[in-house]
Amino acid sequence: MTTTARKPLIPALTGVRFLAALSVALYHLSENVAATLAISPKHFYENAGDPVELFFILSGFILTYTHPEVNGAQCPAIRQFYFSRFAKIYPIYLLGWIVFAPLIYSNLMALHGHGAGTYARLAFYGLVSLTLLQAWTTTTANAWNTPGWSLSAEAVFYAAFPFLFTYLRNRRVAVLSGLIAGCWVISVVPTLTLSFLPPALQNEHWPKELVNFIPALRIGEFIAGICLARLFLRNAKEKTLVFDLGALGALAVSAAVIVVSNHLHAKVLLFPAFMLLLYCLACAKGPLSALLGSKPMVLLGEASFAFYILHVPLFRYARMVFPDVATSPLQFAAFLIGLTAISIICFLSIEKPLCAYLRKAYRTSRSPSARGQPEHAH
């Protein structure tokens, strides 16, 4: 296998991840604080979780941009890619699982008491979450650490990526553009379908959870990111201020849609807004891209995965110690600052070194000398 050097990351695309993670955290945690401040949220709490869609699109984009070694879907490259993804996401994911474990245990004990059934549920939910299978059913998607469902979906996307990458690598611009349009439709149709359900079903949680969580219904967003990266790599031009202004407009539109649009309209509008935002940031040179690509924002973006995974369990622990954190603006702001600091520490002391160690160990184990083969063997 010929090894091709990876392209360096685009700093602004790393920085924007923190804004998406912050939106999701506010969606999960801030409703009581907003009520305390008498802030009218409009449709914020219907839509502020939708930046997970931005994560999925960005994931497809970044993987396509930075992983030329999966060209041709060669088996060694595929294995290396899979392990690289595992090394990147699983240490922090496992940390979140461990941090949440006492909470799920206490919840199950409060609901079902001590007994075999409680421990069976705990073992089942724990195993499903550990193996990243929880998003496939509505009863397990949120059964452990709530944000973990998106990693369950990402695991499917990662499994499919080498084959999607190979299939899409040499497609024409018209084909890639058509696929993006198709993915847009696919992302909207499930939510549109909900509005045609009988009223009794519309009031049930499981149809919405089915649409939001099932990986098969979300993979179009990931595919769109791959197509967008192929278009970017094929048509990349000199970075200009025009794209920076385009990114600023797309970011402003995204924020406005999240606040003022109903959920169906948000699903229709956020997909193209996110696509435009990412493409423009990749091509931008100006104040916004400089801000998002600055060292502090890049660090926040790198720590955003830990921020995303830990925000729900740490908030629950914070409420045990500081009961007013859910309603006091100052305490809530202090929590977000503390969460950010903890996330940075986790990134620097756990995610980054463990990822590097695991990837190095894998490369060493796969080297010809480690397998007792001559250096020239293939």
Side-chain angles (χ1 to χ4, degrees), residues 242-306:
V242 171
F243 285 109
D244 199 73
L245 294 174
L248 179 61
L251 187 61
V253 167
S254 300
V257 166
I258 286 171
V259 174
V260 304
S261 297
N262 65 42
H263 191 54
L264 176 59
H265 292 160
K267 287 295 292 184
V268 173
L269 296 172
L270 285 176
F271 182 101
F274 289 157
M275 295 286 285
L276 180 63
L277 172 63
L278 297 181
Y279 189 89
C280 286
L281 282 178
C283 301
K285 182 180 181 181
L288 179 62
S289 57
L291 173 63
L292 293 176
S294 63
K295 288 184 179 180
M297 283 302 301
V298 168
L299 178 59
L300 289 173
E302 291 173 329
S304 64
F305 179 49

Side-chain angles (χ1 to χ4, degrees), residues 145-168:
N145 187 11
T146 305
W149 77 266
S150 63
L151 275 298
S152 178
E154 288 275 14
V156 176
F157 306 163
Y158 295 158
F161 174 73
F163 310 99
L164 292 170
F165 179 97
T166 302
Y167 177 76
L168 296 170

Side-chain angles (χ1 to χ4, degrees), residues 128-319:
V128 169
S129 299
L130 277 176
T131 54
L132 291 171
L133 296 174
Q134 68 267 45
W136 285 100
T137 74
T138 58
T139 57
T140 58
N142 286 323
W144 207 272
N145 187 11
T146 305
W149 77 266
S150 63
L151 275 298
S152 178
E154 288 275 14
V156 176
F157 306 163
Y158 295 158
F161 174 73
F163 310 99
L164 292 170
F165 179 97
T166 302
Y167 177 76
L168 296 170
R169 186 179 62 223
N170 296 317
R171 299 296 164 182
R172 300 191 306 273
V173 169
V175 173
L176 295 171
S177 301
L179 283 171
I180 289 173
C183 290
W184 182 11
V185 172
I186 290 170
S187 76
V188 172
V189 166
T191 301
L192 177 63
T193 303
L194 293 177
S195 62
F196 292 100
L197 292 176
L201 278 180
Q202 288 187 25
N203 294 326
E204 295 284 340
H205 288 294
W206 70 262
K208 298 174 185 177
E209 292 176 345
L210 184 73
V211 166
N212 288 333
F213 299 140
I214 295 297
L217 298 180
R218 305 301 300 262
I219 197 170
E221 297 152 17
F222 180 76
I223 294 172
I226 297 175
C227 294
L228 186 69
R230 297 309 316 165
L231 292 174
F232 169 73
L233 291 169
R234 183 170 297 181
N235 302 297
K237 301 176 182 178
E238 183 180 356
K239 294 179 181 291
T240 65
L241 179 62
V242 171
F243 285 109
D244 199 73
L245 294 174
L248 179 61
L251 187 61
V253 167
S254 300
V257 166
I258 286 171
V259 174
V260 304
S261 297
N262 65 42
H263 191 54
L264 176 59
H265 292 160
K267 287 295 292 184
V268 173
L269 296 172
L270 285 176
F271 182 101
F274 289 157
M275 295 286 285
L276 180 63
L277 172 63
L278 297 181
Y279 189 89
C280 286
L281 282 178
C283 301
K285 182 180 181 181
L288 179 62
S289 57
L291 173 63
L292 293 176
S294 63
K295 288 184 179 180
M297 283 302 301
V298 168
L299 178 59
L300 289 173
E302 291 173 329
S304 64
F305 179 49
F307 185 98
Y308 176 75
I309 288 295
L310 295 174
H311 74 272
V312 171
L314 291 187
F315 189 69
R316 294 198 183 184
Y317 285 117
R319 290 183 68 176

Side-chain angles (χ1 to χ4, degrees), residues 38-50:
I39 295 174
S40 175
K42 297 187 182 296
H43 294 279
F44 180 83
Y45 293 106
E46 293 177 44
N47 304 321
D50 286 351

